[in-house]
Amino acid sequence: MIKFTIIFASTCFLLFGFSLKQNNVKLVEATSEKWISGQNGGGSGTEYFMKIKILTDQKIVFDSLWFNNKSLPTYLSQTNSSISSEPVSFVKNDIVVVRVSDLSSSANKIIKPPLKYKGEGILRYFVNGKAFYLIIKKFKQIPSINRP
């Protein structure tokens, strides 16, 4: 039985092609900020920011963040820029900001992460079509700023 389990696990790993090995990116900082709109009915939520240093020349595509039994899409910006619809280009040794918006009003169904992890979140990204995962041990909560 143990031999079967080892063979099965090895086969799954090869088929799904994912890795926790972190030689493509490095987490610099992970923060979260709760917010409430200043307009009546404007909503509320939490923004998650992950500053990530790029450690490879290969193309990286950030995909999803899992936390609190949710999976949300990611958005990318340069370190000192806001999110825009324009593609963000980066090269090795750049620091980018991966951002996730969790709106309190959105009806999120429970979505289990692709693998078990210890921490507050897990970020999936792809390098040459192969999935990698970056575990976020803790999001440092930053004070909320007033929003119009």
Side-chain angles (χ1 to χ4, degrees), residues 34-88:
K34 292 184 180 190
W35 61 272
I36 299 173
S37 174
Q39 297 180 358
N40 189 19
S44 63
T46 304
E47 298 292 321
Y48 295 87
F49 303 92
M50 292 148 284
K51 285 187 181 179
I52 296 177
K53 184 172 184 175
I54 306 300
L55 302 177
T56 182
D57 289 321
Q58 298 176 354
K59 182 180 178 184
I60 296 178
V61 177
F62 294 95
D63 177 60
S64 302
L65 176 70
W66 281 265
F67 62 97
N68 297 334
N69 290 319
K70 298 178 187 180
S71 174
L72 294 173
T74 60
Y75 301 94
L76 196 60
S77 68
Q78 296 289 355
T79 305
N80 295 320
S81 301
S82 61
I83 294 175
S84 75
S85 59
E86 297 297 316
V88 174

Side-chain angles (χ1 to χ4, degrees), residues 10-26:
S10 299
T11 303
C12 287
F13 183 80
L14 292 173
L15 287 175
F16 295 117
F18 63 82
S19 177
L20 288 172
K21 186 177 179 187
Q22 297 304 315
N23 58 357
N24 300 305
V25 298
K26 178 183 178 187

Side-chain angles (χ1 to χ4, degrees), residues 67-137:
F67 62 97
N68 297 334
N69 290 319
K70 298 178 187 180
S71 174
L72 294 173
T74 60
Y75 301 94
L76 196 60
S77 68
Q78 296 289 355
T79 305
N80 295 320
S81 301
S82 61
I83 294 175
S84 75
S85 59
E86 297 297 316
V88 174
S89 60
F90 51 87
V91 295
K92 186 175 183 178
N93 294 320
D94 278 356
I95 295 178
V96 296
V97 176
V98 177
R99 181 174 172 173
V100 172
S101 297
D102 183 18
L103 303 177
S104 296
S105 62
S106 60
N108 295 314
K109 61 181 181 178
I110 293 176
I111 300 176
K112 292 188 178 185
L115 50 99
K116 290 185 177 185
Y117 64 95
K118 289 185 179 182
E120 291 188 3
I122 186 166
L123 176 68
R124 179 171 64 190
Y125 65 95
F126 292 89
V127 178
N128 294 328
K130 183 178 179 183
F132 288 82
Y133 295 91
L134 178 64
I135 295 172
I136 313 297
K137 292 188 188 283

